[in-house]
Amino acid sequence: QVQLVESGGGLVQAGGSLRLACAASGRRFSRYAMGWFRQAPGNERAAVAAISWSAITIYYADSVKGRFTISRDNAKNTVYLQMNSLKPEDTAVYYCAAGRAQFVSDYNRLGNPNEYAYWGQGTQVTVSS
């Protein structure tokens, strides 16, 4: 049984930073892509950032390029999302997700929520203006 546990959300002022972490268990972490998605009230869940199994291919939504950084530590079975220069429009529930298929590196697949089989419970990020 795959489990994903997110941490690191909270309340921050605009311009501030937060670091989200997602600890995975239940299968060989290093073989699967990992992603971060977010959902604000009234909006659909959307991809924020994703990283291939090898960490060679990385996807970012246009809205976060240059501000957010995704990384993974396979020794700790953990994926991170460093969020800098936060804006009020970044306010959402952030979800960690684990890929459905092994060894995915295709950029277009990384940002597709249908490519992910397991989801965390979500962590709230609130950015005040």
Side-chain angles (χ1 to χ4, degrees):
Q1 182 76 9
V2 176
Q3 290 190 323
L4 303 174
V5 179
E6 300 115 333
S7 60
L11 173 65
V12 64
Q13 288 188 331
S17 298
L18 283 174
R19 188 193 196 202
L20 305 183
C22 172
S25 62
R27 64 178 185 180
R28 194 165 294 184
F29 177 82
S30 61
R31 293 185 176 184
Y32 297 88
M34 297 294 295
W36 286 98
F37 294 75
R38 68 185 180 187
Q39 188 169 20
N43 292 345
E44 293 187 355
R45 191 173 298 187
V48 175
I51 186 167
S52 66
W53 70 278
S54 60
I56 291 177
T57 306
I58 292 179
Y59 166 94
Y60 290 110
D62 288 343
S63 58
V64 306
K65 285 181 180 176
R67 299 189 298 122
F68 290 12
T69 303
I70 188 171
S71 61
R72 64 189 298 157
D73 186 337
N74 289 340
K76 295 183 179 180
N77 289 353
T78 301
V79 62
Y80 303 96
L81 184 67
Q82 178 67 43
M83 305 185 293
N84 298 330
S85 303
L86 282 161
K87 304 176 181 179
E89 50 263 44
D90 294 318
T91 295
V93 177
Y94 283 70
Y95 297 90
C96 172
R100 188 181 305 277
Q102 297 185 71
F103 306 124
V104 171
S105 294
D106 185 89
Y107 180 85
N108 291 323
R109 294 177 68 181
L110 289 179
N112 184 348
N114 293 326
E115 292 286 342
Y116 296 84
Y118 302 96
W119 297 82
Q121 80 285 355
T123 185
Q124 177 70 45
V125 171
T126 302
V127 184
S128 63
S129 57

